Amino acid sequence: MRMNGGQALIKSLELEGTEIIFGYPGGAILPVYDPIIDSGIRHILARHEQGAGHMAEGYAHATGRPGVFMVTSGPAATNAVTPLADAYLDSVPMVCITGQVGLAAIGTDAFQEVDTTGITRSITKHNILVTRAEDIPRALKEAFYIATTGRPGPVLVDIPKNIVDATNPDAYFEFEYPDSVDLPGYKPDVPVDEAAVAAAITLMLAAERPVLYVGGGVLKSRGADILRTLAEIVQMPVVTTLMARGAFPDSHELNLGMPGMHGNYTAISALQKADLLVAMGSRFDDRVTGKVGAFAPDAKIIHVDIDPAEHGKVRRPDVPIVGDCRVVMENMVIQLNAVGGADAFGDRSAWRQQLSGWQEKFPLTYEPSAPGELLKPQFVMEKLRDGCPSDTIVASGVGREGESPSQYWKFDHPYTWINSGGLGTMGFSIPAAIGAKAAFPDRMVWAVDGDGCFQMTAQELVTASVNKIPVKIALLNNAYLGMVRQWQEMFYENRYSEVYLSHDMPDYVKWAESMGCAAFRVEDSDEVEAVIAKANAINDRPVVVEFRCHSEEKVFPMVAAGASNDDVIVDPSQAALLQSERLHQAGSQKETLR
Amino acid sequence: MTRPGDLAHHTLAVLVENRAGVLARVADLFARRGYNIVSLAVAPTSDERFSRITIVVDVESSPLEQIVKQLFKLINVVEIVELAPSESVERELIIATVSAPKSIRSQVVELVNIFEGKILAVSSEQMTVSLDGSPRKIDDFEALMVDYGIVEVQRSGRIALPKIGQIAPRLSAVEA
Ligand SMILES: Cc1ncc(C[n+]2csc(CCOP(=O)(O)OP(=O)(O)O)c2C)c(N)n1
Ligand SMILES: [Mg+2]
């Protein structure tokens, strides 16, 4: 069929199965917005391009399908930079279409011209500047293929205005959608190296203190089910990183929870004391390893990752396995069953006892608020968790309160946790929650946000109201950039520099109501449960619940940046106990040396 | 002083798809990950779909394995071959304009002849000369020319081929 470039672009998106475009129009992309009117694809008009990008990410996190977002040139493309970087660091499949000035104007510093492919080169998996209308279908085919295969990531397609312009005769061509790509340098499918898997199994059989260190790659490969089978056969304790919450049920007895800078004591220490780490789709991020030289000093490493560049980037594995986590785990299970399955493993009860001992001594804990005192975020999270269905999707912001759901929620289903782990983008959670809710209108979706984060992207609640996407926002208002305040308290001698925001300015309830949301304010612990129930009963509009939180509350445990995981700081109430535990461990080490 | 020809180095011949911006992608990758490029030469190949980028990287700054793996992540990188110096013929070209007034012109000409270089242009005060050869030979020549006063100099960066009968190893992102 003969059509112009703009029509071809929308047609290509349709053929790729795109349900929703999150976007924002403008001069250079105008010709592509016209055919949207005639398309079955839903377009959701964000209120800022960054919002559109995070919505596409939220959609992709929740569904596993590529998020699509479309913006115009220049300032819109630069507004898209943050979500692209966010998606790049968290390996989120995404296709971003940007308008560009006409080819003849490129390089002339034309109005709203920026070098979009240049700016985004290092924060996209790939990007493409299309120069002829007839190349649009191929570019889109490649973009979706690259974004969704191998290690997923964002791909940007930059479209000069003249090649989509309906008034330009050269923008017309006979549309044909390619059914395959021709990319001689891109071969994402690697066969599983069965010998490497066998070597890995030998290490698993020999290990006395193994830990499965699970990262976001397991979710990207849709590998949660086989992960459980594997963990149960090997009877191997599991830690799930910030990117992998939900990949393994928190209620499972083998789950130790989250390691890392704000992980729990047992998960952090299990990695430190392990003699074998099976790193599954995890990347030895500095927030997990702490000081790299001191990380898991006695552990041999099996590292499964689809991206070979992750092997040896931070820690050299003893057995590197390149491949999709799900496929590799399937092969592991076959080979494990062939050597006797669970029966092949010796007694590891000493290790399990050590771990459960730590779990008893050092659970997550906090001091409840005294009567009349403002709320504790941990308390709010416990109540919220208990008041929501278990398949609720939670998107979180960044900061002290952003950490609270990753610690206090119980994730029992994959794809219920959405966060900005790699870039740590304040303002991520509201638009990400909107993207997830747009994908799953029947599921409950909560965003948990700090007051600082909320002020960065709150305008997207207008998008949510107008488009009937009733997300719920738990706004943890502690009047501060709390996480930064915590660092200033702990590492800058209480010298608080530019971290105060105020509990009352703005008036969040009025602001939320003006954006079409139902809004509540809670200050008293006794009211928390009832307000959550009220919020959960509202389904026709977004809801914002402002929880007035204590300004001085800190997140523990904490591994200070650059410190060793061995020096994890626990809640003050556990500090003395930890001190004696450390002395005891040092003593028994000396004995074994002798 | 270490001279370019002395540096412990790896030479990678990187076959890339001829698509817009591919050189910038490769150069960006080195810049962003802190790898040092000693020299870089780009040329078309006999197949018009591809170009070859010959990159000399300094071993100190950069773990070769990571460089190769990161290069392979670029969608347009098709093949990477390592040309080990001992198993390759390496060539580089230098063009230099040196100060050569009448009084010393014959000395400069003599040196150029000894090195089997060429004289490209002569004026009353200066002379532009060229030489191709192994990077070490180019270093030696350049050092001698410094004594006469180099006005401007340009080196091409090295290109290389495996010695006849040798097959340079094709690298892979996945360890064998
Ligand atoms: C876009 C962006 N700017 C700055 C930061 C640095 N930062 C990390 S946490 C934080 C404070 C967040 O404050 P708030 O949203 O109120 O959460 P709280 O820590 O108080 O719970 C800041 C400024 C960031 N992560 N992202
Ligand atoms: Mg705050």
Side-chain angles (χ1 to χ4, degrees):
Chain A
M1 201 175 34
R2 210 171 159 72
M3 56 177 84
N4 68 45
Q7 293 165 322
L9 201 155
I10 297 301
K11 183 85 192 153
S12 302
L13 291 179
E14 286 170 358
L15 290 171
E16 288 292 343
T18 305
E19 298 171 320
I20 306 177
I21 301 170
F22 301 93
Y24 209 101
I29 198 76
L30 262 174
V32 184
Y33 267 78
D34 188 68
I36 287 180
I37 295 176
D38 306 317
S39 167
I41 300 179
R42 179 178 183 197
H43 182 280
I44 293 179
L45 176 65
R47 294 305 189 258
H48 187 294
E49 289 87 355
Q50 182 190 354
H54 292 321
M55 287 175 204
E57 287 188 88
Y59 174 92
H61 271 289
T63 62
R65 294 196 296 274
V68 176
F69 83 117
M70 181 151 82
V71 303
T72 190
S73 67
T78 55
N79 279 346
V81 164
T82 299
L84 286 170
D86 196 278
Y88 183 65
L89 282 176
D90 287 344
S91 307
V92 182
M94 194 147 82
V95 173
C96 173
I97 315 281
T98 46
Q100 183 54 279
V101 300
L103 271 179
I106 287 183
T108 66
D109 303 314
F111 179 63
Q112 296 192 331
E113 182 198 359
V114 295
D115 172 15
T116 304
T117 49
I119 289 170
T120 58
R121 195 173 289 132
S122 66
I123 50 164
T124 50
K125 184 172 174 186
H126 190 57
N127 61 24
I128 306 167
L129 170 65
V130 188
T131 53
R132 304 184 313 172
E134 56 270 38
D135 291 340
I136 288 174
R138 194 197 64 182
L140 269 287
K141 180 81 193 174
E142 288 177 359
F144 277 89
Y145 181 69
I146 293 168
T148 55
T149 51
R151 179 178 185 166
V155 179
L156 179 139
V157 185
D158 202 25
I159 305 278
K161 185 170 187 177
N162 61 303
I163 69 166
V164 284
D165 180 1
T167 65
N168 171 13
D170 292 340
Y172 287 81
F173 65 101
E174 201 57 42
F175 180 88
E176 207 180 318
Y177 203 63
D179 44 28
S180 63
V181 293
D182 175 23
L183 295 166
Y186 183 64
K187 299 271 176 292
D189 293 323
V190 243
V192 177
D193 178 351
E194 302 207 3
V197 172
I201 285 172
T202 306
L203 288 186
M204 289 185 212
L205 287 166
E208 288 171 6
R209 300 185 308 279
V211 175
L212 238 170
Y213 155 35
V214 172
V218 168
L219 290 172
K220 297 294 171 351
S221 74
R222 321 301 284 183
D225 290 341
I226 192 76
L227 170 69
R228 184 171 177 158
T229 311
L230 174 69
E232 285 174 354
I233 292 176
V234 188
Q235 280 298 305
M236 193 161 24
V238 175
V239 300
T240 48
T241 69
L242 184 62
M243 293 311 297
R245 307 290 291 128
F248 192 73
D250 276 336
S251 56
H252 196 290
E253 54 161 5
L254 285 170
N255 199 340
L256 306 179
M258 185 175 75
M261 178 176 270
H262 293 294
N264 72 72
Y265 179 85
T266 306
I268 294 169
S269 305
L271 291 177
Q272 287 306 94
K273 301 283 186 263
D275 66 353
L276 175 69
L277 295 187
V278 182
M280 191 64 71
S282 49
R283 60 183 176 92
F284 296 84
D285 181 77
D286 51 288
R287 293 254 152 160
V288 168
T289 60
K291 186 173 164 195
V292 174
F295 176 67
D298 304 327
K300 288 211 157 67
I301 309 282
I302 298 165
H303 192 178
V304 181
D305 204 295
I306 199 158
D307 178 359
E310 290 301 338
H311 293 141
K313 188 180 79 178
V314 177
R315 173 84 175 247
R316 183 145 302 280
D318 298 274
V319 179
I321 302 176
V322 179
D324 177 86
C325 289
R326 181 172 50 78
V327 177
V328 172
M329 285 190 284
E330 281 164 1
N331 193 277
M332 280 181 170
V333 166
I334 291 171
Q335 294 203 34
L336 278 166
N337 284 335
V339 297
D343 297 338
F345 290 90
D347 176 29
R348 291 193 189 125
S349 52
W351 177 229
R352 294 287 295 284
Q353 267 164 24
Q354 186 169 18
L355 296 172
S356 54
W358 288 336
Q359 283 175 318
E360 258 165 54
K361 282 187 206 159
F362 304 108
L364 285 174
T365 182
Y366 63 95
E367 178 111 7
S369 27
E373 223 179 16
L374 289 176
L375 303 168
K376 292 295 176 89
Q378 301 92 332
F379 174 80
V380 175
M381 264 325 99
E382 287 175 335
K383 291 292 167 202
L384 190 60
R385 172 194 70 202
D386 297 342
C388 291
S390 80
D391 69 345
T392 299
I393 295 173
V394 187
S396 92
V398 179
R400 214 169 75 187
E401 324 302 31
E403 302 294 339
S404 56
S406 68
Q407 293 183 326
Y408 282 87
W409 205 268
K410 271 227 170 319
F411 294 99
D412 276 335
H413 305 279
Y415 314 108
T416 53
W417 167 242
I418 298 177
N419 94 113
S420 159
L423 196 62
T425 309
M426 288 175 67
F428 174 81
S429 77
I430 294 175
I434 294 171
K437 181 79 178 171
F440 293 112
D442 299 332
R443 298 265 293 276
M444 185 173 286
V445 180
W446 274 92
V448 178
D449 226 4
D451 43 339
C453 291
F454 185 88
Q455 291 189 52
M456 286 208 174
T457 50
Q459 80 285 346
E460 299 308 340
L461 288 170
V462 177
T463 311
S465 291
V466 169
N467 290 282
K468 304 261 176 279
I469 305 170
V471 288
K472 304 182 200 301
I473 316 296
L475 163 58
L476 301 168
N477 177 7
N478 58 8
Y480 275 94
L481 300 174
M483 184 60 102
V484 184
R485 186 186 194 280
Q486 171 167 348
W487 285 49
Q488 290 177 348
E489 180 182 333
M490 295 174 69
F491 310 119
Y492 291 85
E493 297 160 350
N494 302 312
R495 286 162 58 85
Y496 298 119
S497 175
E498 301 300 322
V499 286
Y500 177 64
L501 296 175
S502 151
H503 270 119
D504 304 301
M505 178 75 171
D507 182 327
Y508 292 100
V509 168
K510 279 193 189 152
W511 187 9
E513 283 171 352
S514 78
M515 293 188 286
C517 306
F520 307 100
R521 175 174 295 139
V522 192
E523 288 182 343
D524 194 324
S525 299
D526 296 338
E527 296 165 14
V528 169
E529 227 175 285
V531 173
I532 289 169
K534 233 193 294 180
N536 280 348
I538 296 174
N539 274 319
D540 60 343
R541 299 157 285 164
V543 187
V544 174
V545 185
E546 179 197 353
F547 297 97
R548 290 258 168 138
C549 291
H550 206 280
S551 294
E552 278 146 44
E553 190 58 25
K554 293 194 282 295
V555 202
F556 291 112
M558 174 173 185
V559 180
S564 160
N565 279 345
D566 288 332
D567 300 325
V568 52
I569 306 165
V570 292
D571 187 83
S573 68
Q574 298 170 338
L577 187 60
L578 179 58
Q579 189 67 18
S580 73
E581 173 86 11
R582 280 185 179 143
L583 284 174
H584 173 75
Q585 282 180 13
S588 62
Q589 232 159 33
K590 249 186 239 144
E591 259 162 48
T592 44
L593 278 180
R594 220 182 291 139
Chain B
M1 201 189 88
T2 32
R3 307 175 307 169
D6 291 340
L7 278 175
H9 66 269
H10 290 285
T11 304
L12 301 176
V14 182
L15 189 72
V16 296
E17 269 187 284
N18 251 336
R19 298 232 194 162
V22 63
L23 179 60
R25 285 182 209 281
V26 171
D28 261 15
L29 187 148
F30 277 76
R32 143 155 155 64
R33 301 223 177 238
Y35 309 147
N36 282 345
I37 300 183
V38 177
S39 75
L40 184 146
V42 196
T45 64
S46 48
D47 184 336
E48 64 177 23
R49 288 175 303 160
F50 305 113
S51 289
R52 182 166 284 108
I53 306 181
T54 307
I55 311 174
V56 180
V57 291
D58 117 49
V59 212
E60 310 268 295
S61 81
S62 348
L64 184 68
E65 177 191 322
Q66 263 297 310
I67 296 180
V68 169
K69 286 174 165 181
Q70 294 293 346
L71 277 170
F72 270 119
K73 285 177 75 167
L74 298 178
I75 305 292
N76 302 134
V77 167
V78 178
E79 187 183 285
I80 305 176
V81 170
E82 181 174 11
L83 298 162
S86 60
E87 279 145 39
S88 319
V89 264
E90 298 182 304
R91 280 296 173 271
E92 194 172 352
L93 172 70
I94 185 171
I95 310 179
T97 295
V98 290
S99 152
K102 265 198 203 98
S103 56
I104 56 163
R105 188 178 296 157
S106 61
Q107 294 176 30
V108 177
V109 172
E110 201 181 323
L111 271 176
V112 172
N113 286 338
I114 291 171
F115 276 86
E116 298 177 318
K118 290 203 180 72
I119 292 165
L120 304 181
V122 186
S123 75
S124 59
E125 294 299 320
Q126 296 178 345
M127 196 182 263
T128 301
V129 300
S130 79
L131 173 71
D132 63 56
S134 71
R136 246 170 230 279
K137 183 174 167 189
I138 303 283
D139 283 348
D140 293 342
F141 180 72
E142 188 179 349
L144 288 166
M145 286 298 128
V146 166
D147 292 343
Y148 294 95
I150 290 181
V151 182
E152 269 191 274
V153 63
Q154 182 75 55
R155 293 175 65 150
S156 65
R158 80 186 74 192
I159 55 173
L161 281 179
K163 286 182 181 161
I164 291 177
Q166 302 270 14
I167 297 172
R170 271 172 69 162
L171 303 181
S172 147
V174 182
E175 281 117 289

